[in-house]
Amino acid sequence: MSTEVPVLAVRGSTGVILSRGPPSYDPVTAFPTVTSKNCKVMLFSPNGQYFAWFDGSKIVVTLVSSWKVVQEIEKPKTMCLLFSPKGTYLCSWETFYVNQENPKGGPNLFIWKTETGELVHSYIHKKQINWQLQFSKDEKICARCLDGQVLIYEKANFETPTYKIQSPKVADFSLSPGSIYHVLCYMPGSSGPSFGKLFKYPKFEHENCVANKTFFKADRVDMYWNNKGTNVLLLTSTDVDKTNASYYGKQSLHFLSTKGDTAIVLLNKEGSIHSISWNPSGEEFCVIYGFMPAKAALFNTKCEVIFDFGSGPRNSIYYNPHGNIVLLGGFGNISGYVEIWDTVSRRRITKMECSNTTLLQWSPDGTHFVTATTAPRLRVDNGFKIWHYSGALLYERPWNKQEELWEVTWQTYADSRFKKPTISFKHVEGIQSSEPTASKEVYRPPAARNLANPVKFNLHDNTDTAETRTLSKAALKMKKKRDAKRQAKLQQQQNQEENTTAVVNNGHSNSDNGAELRNANAGDKTNNRNVDKDKIKKIKTNLKSIEKLKQLQASGKELDKNQLEKLNKEAELQEELKNLTL
C-alpha cells in the first residue's frame, strides 16, 4: 500500500494554500505563496502531473512533483479552466464581450499546450454552459457541440473537424470515458418524440446507431457514464409536469449500453430524482428519488433493484474511489444527515451529522473524506473538516469571520496508487468538534407540548416496515394498491416509449399513432372541477420562480432582501398548494 499522503488544495479570500492530509496536516512549504484575493479557479490535472490556478491577472501552472512554476499565461479575464485527461492541454474560458471596437466579439475559448504555454487554437463560445471540450481518455479525439451539431477533431487538429453529427439537430452530447469511443447524443423532437442516440466512433450515420432510446420532449438532459464507458444513464427533465403531480416538473431515467440494450429505470416512489451515481466498478449504480424522506436503491446493469437502502432525508451520493464505500447525505436545504455503507456486505458502517456542508469529496486513499462550508453559498462558519469513513472527525480548520472559504479539493493521481481499504466496523478515535452541538430535543408545536404521547415523525428511518408499522390494515391495503398502480403506470410508459421507438424506426408513424399517444397523455391529466385553478396556477408560478432563485443562489449569486424573503415563503406556498389539491 502506498505511503504517500494526498495533498489538499484550499482556495479562499486569502489566496491558495496547500496542506497534506492525514496524519500530518502540515502545509506544503515548497508551494509558492499565493495571496491574491481574486483566485477564481484552481484544479489538478486528471493525471496528477500539474496544478493550475488563476490569480486574477494570469493563469499559473506548477509541476506537482516539485511545485515549481512552469507556465504563466497572461489572460486577465479568465473565468474557467479545464485540463485534458493526460494534462497535455489546458483550456480556458472567459466571458464573451462585444464593444464598439469589436462589434462581433472575438474568441473566448482557448486551448494551450501545458508544457510550453503555446496557444494551440481558440473558438467563440458565447455561453458558459457546456463550454468544456470533451476529450477521449487517450486524447486522440476531441469533441464539442456547436449550432446543433457535434464536431469531432482528430490528432490535435482543432481547426478542422474530421466528423460531424448534425441531423437531426443535436442539443447535447457526451463522449464515453472508455478506450473504445462512443458518443451519446440528445436530439429533441420538434413535434414528435425526442431521442437519445448512441454511436460508435467513427460510424455516425443514423443507420449505424448502436442504441436508440425514445422519450417525450425534455427541457434538459443529464448523462452519466460508468467508468468503463460501456453503459450510460440518461436523465430527462421537464420544467412543468402536465399531469400536475409535481410543480418541479417531471423526470425519467433511461439506460443505454454499447451492446445495444435500452430500458427505462422503474422507480417505485413518486417525486424528483435527487442524485445518480455509478459505482466506480461500473457494474451497479445508485439512485436517490422520491418525495422526502427519499428512497435510495442500488441497481444492476439490467436495471433491477439489488439493494434498497430504505427512506431518509438525503439527496446526494458519493462513492469512494474504490467503490467499496458509499456515502448517502442530505445537504443544501436538508440538515446534513449522513449514512456511510459498505457496498460489498451491504451493511451500514455509521450514521452522523455534517451540518452546513456545501462541499464533500473523498480522498484518493478511499479512507478519508473532506466536508466544507463555503461561500458564497454560506458566508458564516466557513471552514473544512477531514473525517475517517467510520465517522470519526480527525481534523478541522475554521475560518475567521473576516475571511471566506471558496473551494477545497484533493490532489488527483494517474493510476490506482492506493490499495482498496479493508473496511472495519471498529470505533476509530477522533477529536471533538469546536462547533456548538445542536439540541437533540425533538421540536414540538405549542399545542402538542403538554401531551403525554405526542405524535412522532422519523425522517431517519431506513426501513419501509417502520414506515408502515403505524398504519391500519385498511390504510396499508390502500398503500399497496397505490404502489401497484404507480408501478403499472411506469410499465405502461415504458411500453408506450418502446412502441413509439419501433414505429419511428420502421418509418410507419402516422396520424393514428399520434392520436393514440395524445390520448395516452390526456388520460394521465387530472381534472378536478372544485379546485381554484387560477390560485393553483399562481402558486406554481411563484414556486417555479423560487426554484430559479435557489439555482441562482447555488451558482454563487448574492440575492437581495426581497428575493430572500421570497425564498422563505416556499414552505408556506407548498402547504397552501397541498391543501388546494387535496
Side-chain angles (χ1 to χ4, degrees):
M1 184 174 180
S2 174
T3 58
E4 186 170 354
V5 177
V7 166
L8 196 66
V10 182
R11 180 175 63 89
S13 58
T14 57
V16 177
I17 59 173
L18 266 61
S19 60
R20 306 197 182 279
S24 69
Y25 312 103
D26 296 329
V28 179
T29 55
F31 181 72
T33 303
V34 183
T35 58
S36 172
K37 297 183 179 181
N38 298 309
C39 292
K40 296 180 180 178
V41 61
M42 67 176 184
L43 76 163
F44 288 94
S45 62
N47 68 342
Q49 185 179 3
Y50 298 104
F51 176 68
W53 70 93
F54 173 70
D55 67 2
S57 62
K58 60 184 179 297
I59 302 167
V60 185
V61 183
T62 60
L63 273 175
V64 171
S65 57
S66 62
W67 303 112
K68 178 183 177 181
V69 174
V70 293
Q71 290 302 327
E72 291 186 347
I73 303 171
E74 298 291 336
K75 292 300 291 182
K77 296 179 182 179
T78 299
M79 296 290 291
C80 306
L81 296 175
L82 172 75
F83 276 110
S84 60
K86 298 172 73 174
T88 307
Y89 304 103
L90 176 63
C91 305
S92 65
W93 181 91
E94 59 188 45
T95 305
F96 180 76
Y97 289 101
V98 175
N99 51 36
Q100 292 181 348
E101 298 177 359
N102 192 1
K104 294 184 178 180
N108 63 322
L109 171 55
F110 305 92
I111 305 175
W112 312 90
K113 197 73 175 292
T114 309
E115 187 177 6
T116 63
E118 171 194 356
L119 178 61
V120 179
H121 199 69
S122 60
Y123 305 104
I124 291 178
H125 190 97
K126 297 181 179 180
K127 296 183 179 180
Q128 189 172 358
I129 299 174
N130 295 331
W131 75 269
Q132 300 93 334
L133 298 171
Q134 296 189 30
F135 290 86
S136 61
K137 192 174 182 179
D138 57 11
E139 299 183 352
K140 289 185 178 179
I141 67 171
C142 172
R144 69 185 187 116
C145 193
L146 179 67
D147 298 331
Q149 56 185 353
V150 179
L151 308 179
I152 298 176
Y153 306 87
E154 288 186 330
K155 300 176 181 178
N157 178 8
F158 299 103
E159 185 172 358
T160 306
T162 309
Y163 300 99
K164 294 181 181 180
I165 307 174
Q166 56 186 349
S167 179
K169 182 178 180 180
V170 179
D172 201 1
F173 82 103
S174 182
L175 180 62
S176 70
S179 56
I180 300 176
Y181 319 136
H182 287 84
V183 182
L184 176 61
C185 297
Y186 164 52
M187 301 172 175
S190 55
S191 57
S194 299
F195 300 94
K197 289 183 177 287
L198 186 60
F199 299 96
K200 181 179 179 181
Y201 171 88
K203 298 181 179 179
F204 299 117
E205 300 81 11
H206 291 279
E207 59 269 20
N208 294 322
C209 177
V210 174
N212 181 21
K213 197 73 181 75
T214 304
F215 46 89
F216 298 106
K217 186 176 181 180
D219 295 308
R220 62 187 182 280
V221 299
D222 296 285
M223 306 174 195
Y224 304 84
W225 284 96
N226 65 352
N227 283 353
K228 299 177 180 178
T230 54
N231 301 305
V232 60
L233 296 168
L234 179 66
L235 174 64
T236 65
S237 306
T238 57
D239 292 331
V240 178
D241 181 8
K242 294 182 180 180
T243 66
N244 291 326
S246 171
Y247 51 80
Y248 285 118
K250 196 170 184 64
Q251 295 174 301
S252 59
L253 186 60
H254 307 270
F255 171 90
L256 300 91
S257 82
T258 55
K259 294 180 180 179
D261 302 321
T262 64
I264 185 170
V265 182
L266 300 177
L267 304 174
N268 60 4
K269 186 172 185 178
E270 292 183 355
S272 301
I273 298 174
H274 305 286
S275 186
I276 302 164
S277 183
W278 280 96
N279 187 311
S281 69
E283 299 302 323
E284 63 186 31
F285 59 92
C286 184
V287 184
I288 295 178
Y289 60 95
F291 297 116
M292 291 294 166
K295 293 196 71 173
L298 284 178
F299 296 81
N300 60 18
T301 53
K302 295 181 181 179
C303 298
E304 301 167 336
V305 176
I306 56 177
F307 184 73
D308 192 335
F309 294 98
S311 301
R314 51 207 176 191
N315 56 11
S316 305
I317 305 166
Y318 300 91
Y319 279 98
N320 75 338
H322 306 89
N324 63 335
I325 303 176
V326 64
L327 185 152
L328 307 178
F331 306 117
N333 58 350
I334 308 179
S335 62
Y337 175 73
V338 168
E339 294 177 3
I340 301 176
W341 290 74
D342 177 348
T343 61
V344 179
S345 67
R346 312 285 197 237
R347 289 176 59 191
R348 189 174 68 188
I349 300 171
T350 189
K351 61 180 180 179
M352 53 193 286
E353 296 285 342
C354 295
S355 59
N356 295 332
T357 295
T358 59
L359 180 152
L360 188 149
Q361 188 181 24
W362 279 97
S363 166
D365 64 15
T367 302
H368 304 92
F369 62 93
V370 63
T371 62
T373 302
T374 58
R377 181 68 182 270
L378 289 174
R379 297 189 182 275
V380 295
D381 298 328
N382 280 191
F384 68 89
K385 300 177 181 179
I386 298 177
W387 308 78
H388 186 263
Y389 69 81
S390 64
L393 176 62
L394 302 181
Y395 178 80
E396 69 174 346
R397 165 65 162 86
W399 251 237
N400 297 328
K401 291 183 179 180
Q402 295 79 15
E403 301 173 353
E404 288 186 350
L405 173 63
W406 298 333
E407 183 184 8
V408 179
T409 187
W410 289 101
Q411 177 183 356
T412 55
Y413 291 87
D415 50 19
S416 302
R417 189 76 56 90
F418 298 91
K419 185 180 178 181
K420 180 186 292 188
T422 301
I423 298 174
S424 171
F425 291 83
K426 294 181 180 179
H427 174 71
V428 173
E429 196 66 34
I431 63 173
Q432 186 68 33
S433 175
S434 62
E435 293 181 0
T437 305
S439 172
K440 298 293 184 181
E441 185 178 349
V442 177
Y443 171 78
R444 296 176 185 173
R449 288 174 186 173
N450 295 323
L451 297 179
N453 296 306
V455 179
K456 295 181 179 180
F457 298 93
N458 186 4
L459 287 177
H460 295 181
D461 184 25
N462 287 299
T463 60
D464 289 335
T465 55
E467 180 184 346
T468 58
R469 234 174 247 153
T470 58
L471 296 178
S472 66
K473 290 183 178 180
L476 184 58
K477 187 176 180 180
M478 289 299 296
K479 181 180 183 301
K480 290 181 178 179
K481 284 185 178 181
R482 288 195 299 269
D483 290 343
K485 189 175 180 180
R486 282 196 294 266
Q487 196 75 5
K489 186 177 177 181
L490 288 169
Q491 187 63 52
Q492 182 183 13
Q493 181 186 351
Q494 182 183 16
N495 294 338
Q496 288 177 356
E497 292 183 358
E498 290 175 351
N499 291 337
T500 306
T501 303
V503 170
V504 174
N505 290 344
N506 292 328
H508 299 307
S509 179
N510 52 37
S511 59
D512 293 337
N513 291 324
E516 183 180 345
L517 290 173
R518 287 192 295 273
N519 291 336
N521 289 336
D524 290 335
K525 294 182 178 179
T526 59
N527 183 19
N528 190 339
R529 298 177 182 177
N530 298 322
V531 175
D532 188 344
K533 294 183 179 180
D534 292 337
K535 196 167 185 179
I536 290 177
K537 185 176 180 181
K538 184 178 180 180
I539 293 174
K540 288 182 178 180
T541 301
N542 288 334
L543 287 169
K544 189 175 179 181
S545 176
I546 288 173
E547 187 64 24
K548 291 180 179 179
L549 288 176
K550 288 164 68 176
Q551 292 174 2
L552 287 173
Q553 189 181 48
S555 67
K557 183 175 180 180
E558 189 171 357
L559 305 183
D560 60 32
K561 183 179 178 181
N562 292 333
Q563 290 172 323
L564 291 172
E565 288 179 355
K566 194 170 186 178
L567 282 179
N568 293 332
K569 292 182 179 179
E570 183 181 16
E572 181 183 337
L573 291 171
Q574 289 176 354
E575 185 66 24
E576 188 176 355
L577 179 65
K578 181 180 177 182
N579 293 334
L580 286 170
T581 55
L582 285 176

